């Protein structure tokens, strides 16, 4: 088994906080050279110093800016599409602007970054790997998550199409689908027992995921140990979607 990523250059979007930040640290520990996209300029400067990463403050919903960033991108071996947003709304209160924002960031921007990353890999003759950070919300209905569920289901559909089209060119594409993951923001959001306890009761393992428990499967899918895995949507949910 080889989970190491030495001499692999990997782009991570949404790298300045949450799951993306833990993915960046885990990939560095496994030897990867990183390119990091994010919006928090101060955090990017910090990560550039701490991880030796190449960083770029970028709004990935700006297609022209993304294309410009890739014009000077070194050869990539992998992409982690982790940038994303969430909006919570009931079906009877859903707003068009929330749906547009979710689809713009979670689907359209991810597709554009994947397009550019795949073109980069092909131009440099690399057989690479793309991992989309999706959600258990793509697989089951979650109350109050109409737009978010739809956007993550679209991301999983995108994963399968990318797998079909890029596989013959030597590029693997997979998704990971985490349950509630205890980033600092999620810890605050799920601190109320009335909200937390019913969700925990629905998870057979009886707990939420840690960011590290998401980052390591991402690293596996990027590695040579996953060389025959493509087109999968991997639940990291403690059994939640087994119901």
């Amino acid at each position: 088994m080889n989970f190491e990523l030495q001499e692999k250059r990997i782009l991570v979007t949404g790298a300045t906080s949450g799951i993306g930040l833990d993915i960046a640290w885990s990939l560095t520990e496994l030897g990867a050279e990183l390119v990091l996209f994010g919006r928090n300029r101060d955090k990017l400067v910090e990560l550039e110093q701490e991880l030796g990463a190449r960083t770029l403050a970028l709004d990935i919903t700006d297609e022209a800016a993304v294309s410009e960033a890739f014009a000077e991108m070194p050869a990539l071996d992998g992409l982690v599409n982790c940038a994303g947003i969430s909006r919570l709304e009931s079906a009877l209160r859903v707003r068009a602007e929330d749906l547009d924002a979710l689809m713009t960031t979670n689907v359209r921007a991810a597709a554009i970054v994947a397009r550019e990353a795949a073109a980069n890999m092909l131009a440099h003759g690399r057989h690479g790997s793309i991992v989309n950070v999706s959600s258990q919300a793509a697989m089951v209905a979650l109350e109050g998550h109409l737009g978010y569920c739809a956007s993550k289901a679209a991301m999983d559909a995108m994963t399968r199409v990318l797998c079909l089209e890029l596989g013959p060119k030597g590029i693997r594409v997979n998704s990971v689908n985490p349950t509630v993951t205890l980033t600092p923001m999620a810890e605050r959001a799920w601190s109320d027992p009335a909200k937390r306890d019913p969700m925990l009761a629905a998870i057979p393992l009886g707990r939420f995921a840690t960011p590290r428990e998401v980052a390591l499967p991402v690293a596996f899918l990027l590695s040579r140990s996953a060389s025959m895995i493509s087109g999968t949507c991997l639940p990291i949910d403690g059994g939640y979607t087994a119901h």
Side-chain angles (χ1 to χ4, degrees), residues 13 38 65 71 80 85 99 101 109 111 113 134 144 151 178 197 217 219 229:
T13 70
V80 182
I85 63 171
L99 291 172
V113 174
S134 182
S151 70
D197 293 350
I229 301 176

Side-chain angles (χ1 to χ4, degrees), residues 11-17 20-21 24-25 34-60:
L11 167 63
V12 182
T13 70
T16 55
S17 63
L21 180 58
W25 276 101
L34 297 185
V35 180
L36 306 178
F37 286 177
R39 293 189 179 187
N40 186 329
R41 293 179 183 274
D42 292 340
K43 187 63 178 180
L44 287 171
V45 170
E46 180 182 318
L47 291 173
E48 194 170 298
Q49 296 171 347
E50 293 177 341
L51 304 181
R54 175 173 178 159
T55 66
L56 181 63
L58 181 69
D59 177 1
I60 63 167

